Amino acid sequence: MNKVWSTLAVAAMGSVLLTGVAEASPAKYARHNDAAAQFRKAGISWTSSKNCADWNMRGCTSFTNINKATVAGVIAFKKLSKCRVVITAGTEVGHSPGDYSHRKGYKVDLSRRDGCLDRYIPSHFKRAGSRRDGTKLYKSPAGNIYAREGSHWDVLYYNGRA
């Protein structure tokens, strides 16, 4: 763990006094390769329409600057649901902006391909209304929001639980 020495200037003496050790907070964001390795280890796969992971290219699926809590949330959801989980979007450009957006590391899109998520989410999570565009929303016990969109679930992870 990184240690950061804090210093306090003592003006009257013109000298510097060591006041102790402060813990550096752990990084909030994961690097693409680190998140990808965690997903792979948990049996979670991902795909992109352009077969790439470039953070700055629309159509790629990137995990650059994804929140570590989002990674943990996807993994927890996979374990809980026992569904096949395929991520189809991460933090790459091309999504709606906002404080809790894909780009800021809070959201991923999960494929609806095999129907397991479509069965699990509505039967285990509470209906939470609809978005302005009519998309149905479901809220997990942990407070995360699952939005049923056309070909995928748009998931907002507030914390590292399912």
Side-chain angles (χ1 to χ4, degrees):
M1 184 172 293
N2 293 334
K3 303 278 185 185
V4 178
W5 287 95
S6 61
T7 59
L8 172 65
V10 180
M13 303 296 283
S15 63
V16 175
L17 172 70
L18 287 177
T19 60
V21 177
E23 294 291 328
S25 62
K28 177 181 176 180
Y29 301 104
R31 294 181 310 178
H32 176 83
N33 289 341
D34 295 336
Q38 289 179 56
F39 287 142
R40 192 176 300 110
K41 183 177 178 184
I44 296 168
S45 60
W46 56 95
T47 186
S48 73
S49 59
K50 293 187 177 176
N51 198 28
C52 55
D54 188 329
W55 194 54
N56 290 309
M57 184 183 292
R58 185 183 295 261
C60 293
T61 298
S62 176
F63 306 129
T64 299
N65 290 342
I66 193 169
N67 290 327
K68 289 182 177 181
T70 301
V71 174
V74 175
I75 293 169
F77 175 75
K78 164 123 173 63
K79 289 178 183 175
L80 189 66
S81 70
K82 296 181 177 53
C83 289
R84 179 174 177 242
V85 173
V86 179
I87 299 170
T88 59
T91 59
E92 65 282 346
V93 296
H95 300 282
S96 298
D99 290 339
Y100 296 100
S101 64
H102 280 271
R103 192 70 169 173
K104 293 202 176 169
Y106 287 94
K107 293 177 109 181
V108 294
D109 289 348
L110 305 179
S111 174
R112 294 182 50 212
R113 206 171 310 165
D114 70 4
C116 186
L117 300 182
D118 288 352
R119 290 186 299 276
Y120 183 85
I121 293 168
S123 65
H124 289 83
F125 298 159
K126 186 178 178 180
R127 181 71 194 276
S130 299
R131 291 192 314 212
R132 286 185 213 144
D133 65 2
T135 299
K136 293 178 182 178
L137 302 174
Y138 297 86
K139 189 174 189 177
S140 75
N144 302 310
I145 304 296
Y146 294 72
R148 184 178 177 164
E149 296 185 348
S151 64
H152 62 273
W153 285 89
D154 180 71
V155 187
L156 169 57
Y157 286 101
Y158 289 108
N159 55 56
R161 300 180 313 229

